[in-house]
């Protein structure tokens, strides 16, 4: 099973509302994630994607990025805050993407190993079908050790 398939299956059970919105992984790799959300079924009274849907597709990027980047048998991600700037109306499907450099991933893993948790920030860009940025986010996440893992 690919990381994309694993993420989509996990989302269906862990965040069923996001799955019902049609949030799906396009690319899930260590340090890089892209998810898509469709316009269809997620519109508002203006015929654009509802703001809460854009927030959701951006927020789930943190969990998706953790799947291939960290040992989820020992650690789990939590969102602490997410700030979103809406820039243009989204009148098509939207791609949300974020990334973290390899050295930053190593720092986060080391801090979580030593202290049982580590905080990190993700900047995401949400673009429409024409490549126009419709929103940008800054999310603060925390990688936490499962109880009893020794971290």
């Amino acid at each position: 099973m690919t990381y994309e398939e694993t993420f989509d299956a996990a989302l269906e059970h862990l965040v069923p509302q996001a799955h019902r919105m049609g949030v799906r992984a396009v690319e899930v790799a260590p340090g890089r994630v892209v998810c898509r959300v469709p316009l269809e079924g997620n519109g508002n009274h203006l015929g654009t994607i509802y703001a809460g849907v854009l927030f959701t597709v951006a927020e789930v990027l943190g969990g998706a990025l953790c799947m291939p980047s960290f040992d989820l048998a020992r650690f789990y991600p939590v969102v602490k805050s997410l700030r979103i700037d809406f820039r243009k109306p989204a009148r098509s499907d939207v791609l949300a993407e974020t990334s973290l450099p390899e050295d930053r991933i190593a720092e986060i893993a080391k801090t979580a190993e030593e202290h049982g948790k580590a905080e990190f920030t993700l900047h995401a860009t949400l673009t429409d079908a024409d490549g126009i940025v419709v929103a940008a986010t800054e999310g603060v996440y925390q990688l936490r050790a499962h109880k009893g893992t020794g971290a």
Side-chain angles (χ1 to χ4, degrees):
M1 191 177 249
T2 67
Y3 284 128
E4 293 83 7
E5 292 166 334
T6 301
F7 172 79
D8 290 344
L11 194 64
E12 184 174 9
H13 297 285
L14 299 174
V15 190
Q17 185 58 43
H19 188 266
R20 284 192 293 276
M21 288 176 186
V23 173
R24 299 295 183 272
V26 173
E27 178 185 350
V28 179
R32 179 166 163 73
V33 176
V34 180
C35 288
R36 176 186 308 277
V37 68
L39 170 63
E40 186 175 337
N42 291 312
N44 60 20
H45 61 290
L46 301 172
T48 62
I49 292 183
Y50 173 62
V53 173
L54 295 174
F55 182 96
T56 300
V57 71
E59 188 277 327
V60 301
L61 295 175
L65 186 107
C66 288
M67 281 180 42
S69 302
F70 304 107
D71 181 358
L72 294 187
R74 299 189 62 223
F75 300 97
Y76 64 96
V78 175
V79 64
K80 291 185 69 181
S81 68
L82 187 82
R83 185 181 60 77
I84 188 165
D85 293 318
F86 299 103
R87 299 198 177 155
K88 300 275 185 185
R91 293 186 168 87
S92 67
D93 293 2
V94 166
L95 289 178
E97 60 185 282
T98 193
S99 62
L100 269 181
E102 196 174 305
D103 61 335
R104 182 66 182 121
I105 291 169
E107 280 177 30
I108 295 163
K110 183 176 187 240
T111 300
E113 185 70 38
E114 292 172 353
H115 302 284
K117 61 184 175 181
E119 197 167 281
F120 61 98
T121 300
L122 292 178
H123 293 90
T125 304
L126 287 73
T127 56
D128 68 10
D130 294 324
I132 296 169
V133 175
V134 297
T137 64
E138 179 180 88
V140 178
Y141 296 82
Q142 194 172 74
L143 189 66
R144 295 183 183 174
H146 290 287
K147 292 185 183 204
T149 61

